[in-house]
Amino acid sequence: MKIDLTDTTASKVNKALVQGRRAIGTPAVGMVLTLVIVTDEENAYDALKAANDASREHPSRTLVVVKRVSRSPRDRTTSRLDAEVKVGADAGSGETVVLRLYGEVVEHADSVVLPLLLPDAPVVVWWPVNAPQDPAKDPLGALAQRRVTDTYAAEQPVRELAARADAYTPGDTDLSWTRITPWRSMLAAALDQVTCEVAAVEVEGEEFNPSCELLAMWLADRLDVPVKRSLSSGPGLTAVRMKTSTGPITLDRADGSLATLSIEGQPDRAVALKRRETAELMAEELRRLDPDDTYASALRYGVERLTASTTPETPAPAEKAPADKASASDAPERATPAKMPPVKKVTAQ
C-alpha cells in the first residue's frame, strides 16, 4: 500500500502510517529499529532497494531523507515537505517513508525525522553518498547509535579514510570495512592452521579502493609487521601474501568471486569469496549496534604508515635522474624502514 502526501507535516505522516497498517490488517508494530537513509534523488532508488532487501533479516522503519536542491531565491525561502508512505508488500518487511525536503526545512531535517522514530528502538543513520566529515556531530547522526558511511563513494577515498580517523566516534562504521569481513575471517582461519611467525605482508588490489587500505591497516595493526600495499587492475582486492617462518601463505582472488588459499605444505584450496551486494553489507552492519573497536584501531593506524609498492603493475619508461637529485620512483624506497620491526608471534585473534 502506498500513500502520497504533498506539503505535509510529520504528524500527518505518522497518521498515514497508522492508517496504512490498519488497512492491511497489521495494526501492531513489529519492527526492531529505525533506519534513516540520507541521500540525494539520484541515489535514493538504489539505497532504498538495498534497505528493503536488508529488512527481510531486520524488519525496520526506513526513513529516506532526500534533500532537494532549490534553484531560485524564492524556493530557498519556502519550506515544504512531501512524503511517500509505503506499508505491506511495497515496503519489504517493515515500513518505508520517503521524505523530500525543500527550502529552509532542508537545514532542519532532524526536526522532521525525530517524531517519526520508533519509540524505544535503536536508530541507524546511513549515508550512501556525501557523508558529513563528522557523522556524530551531524544533526541526524546525533540521533543514532550507529552511523554508516561508505568511503568508496567519496571522490578521494584514501584521503577520506584519514578524515574518518580524525572524526571517529564510537558507533561509526563504514561499508568499505564491511566488505573485507570475509577476507579477515579467511586470513585469521589460515593463521590458526599453522604455528608460525609472520615477517611481512603484501596486500594487492585496486588503486583507489579504501577496502584494500583498511585490510592492510588491519593486518599491520594486529600483526605489528611491515605491510606493503601493491596495485592491480582489480576487481577490488585481488591478493594477500604473508611471508612466515614456515613458508608463504597466499589468498589470491583474481576474478572477484573464487579465491585460492595456499599454505606451505598443504594442498591449495578453492574458497568462495565473492564481492557482495550493498543489501548484504547493510544486513551485516545491522546485526550489531555496539561500537566496533577493531575497526577503530585499524582506521587510526593510518594509511601513511603502510609501505608503498616499488614496482608498479605496468611500469612506464622513466628518464634518468640527475646524480645529485633522487628520482620520484625512489621515494617509496626512502620511506621504507631501514630496520624491520621485531617479528611477532601470531596468536588467534
Side-chain angles (χ1 to χ4, degrees):
M1 181 178 181
K2 179 181 174 182
I3 303 172
D4 288 323
L5 302 172
T6 303
D7 196 7
T8 187
T9 63
S11 176
K12 293 179 181 178
V13 172
N14 258 325
K15 290 179 181 178
L17 285 168
V18 175
Q19 174 188 343
R21 286 198 300 269
R22 288 175 176 170
I24 63 174
T26 56
V29 178
M31 289 155 286
V32 298
L33 59 88
T34 303
L35 174 62
V36 181
I37 305 174
V38 188
T39 184
D40 53 22
E41 199 70 64
E42 180 182 359
N43 296 280
Y45 174 81
D46 291 336
L48 184 54
K49 184 178 184 302
N52 284 343
D53 290 343
S55 73
R56 302 182 191 284
E57 183 177 338
H58 309 279
S60 58
R61 174 175 290 179
T62 303
L63 306 177
V64 184
V65 179
V66 180
K67 299 180 180 181
R68 300 298 297 267
V69 177
S70 300
R71 303 189 180 279
S72 68
R74 178 179 296 176
D75 289 341
R76 284 192 287 271
T77 58
T78 303
S79 296
R80 194 179 95 212
L81 170 65
D82 293 343
E84 294 178 25
V85 178
K86 301 177 183 179
V87 294
D90 292 327
S93 298
E95 300 172 340
T96 298
V97 181
V98 181
L99 303 166
R100 290 184 171 84
L101 282 58
Y102 300 81
E104 292 181 344
V105 74
V106 169
E107 304 300 327
H108 305 281
D110 54 315
S111 63
V112 176
V113 169
L114 186 59
L116 301 176
L117 301 179
L118 289 173
D120 301 322
V123 179
V124 178
V125 177
W126 172 32
W127 292 269
V129 293
N130 303 323
Q133 287 295 315
D134 191 341
K137 291 185 178 178
D138 181 85
L140 286 172
L143 301 175
Q145 286 77 39
R146 192 79 160 164
R147 295 164 293 277
V148 184
T149 57
D150 192 354
T151 51
Y152 188 77
E155 187 174 349
Q156 296 179 312
V158 177
R159 183 178 295 180
E160 193 76 8
L161 287 176
R164 291 279 167 266
D166 292 339
Y168 177 81
T169 302
D172 292 354
T173 190
D174 196 279
L175 292 186
S176 294
W177 172 255
T178 317
R179 289 184 180 96
I180 63 173
T181 299
W183 283 82
R184 294 190 292 120
S185 301
M186 193 61 63
L187 292 170
L191 289 175
D192 280 341
Q193 296 180 38
V194 292
T195 302
C196 65
E197 294 177 346
V198 179
V201 180
E202 178 185 0
V203 175
E204 179 188 270
E206 292 175 327
E207 182 174 4
F208 299 109
N209 191 315
S211 293
C212 302
E213 315 295 340
L214 281 168
L215 183 62
M217 291 189 288
W218 173 72
L219 287 166
D221 179 54
R222 303 302 291 175
L223 297 176
D224 194 21
V225 297
V227 176
K228 183 174 75 171
R229 172 73 169 90
S230 59
L231 305 181
S232 72
S233 57
L237 271 161
T238 51
V240 174
R241 304 178 183 91
M242 294 186 283
K243 180 181 178 182
T244 76
S245 57
T246 59
I249 296 177
T250 303
L251 184 59
D252 190 297
R253 185 190 69 177
D255 62 358
S257 59
L258 192 65
T260 301
L261 177 63
S262 303
I263 301 176
E264 187 74 16
Q266 300 183 18
D268 290 354
R269 277 162 282 184
V271 294
L273 209 60
K274 72 180 182 72
R275 306 187 75 193
R276 297 182 293 169
E277 299 293 333
T278 306
E280 295 178 72
L281 301 176
M282 283 303 300
E284 178 183 327
E285 280 301 329
L286 296 178
R287 289 183 199 127
R288 57 173 299 174
L289 299 177
D290 56 315
D292 191 339
D293 296 332
T294 307
Y295 165 69
S297 182
L299 187 65
R300 287 169 173 157
Y301 181 86
V303 179
E304 67 281 353
R305 295 175 62 185
L306 300 176
T307 305
S309 173
T310 57
T311 52
E313 190 181 19
T314 310
E319 296 181 2
K320 187 175 181 181
D324 58 337
K325 293 184 179 179
S327 65
S329 62
D330 290 334
E333 286 290 341
R334 297 198 307 275
T336 304
K339 186 176 180 181
M340 289 178 60
V343 175
K344 184 178 178 180
K345 180 73 174 178
V346 175
T347 57
Q349 301 295 339

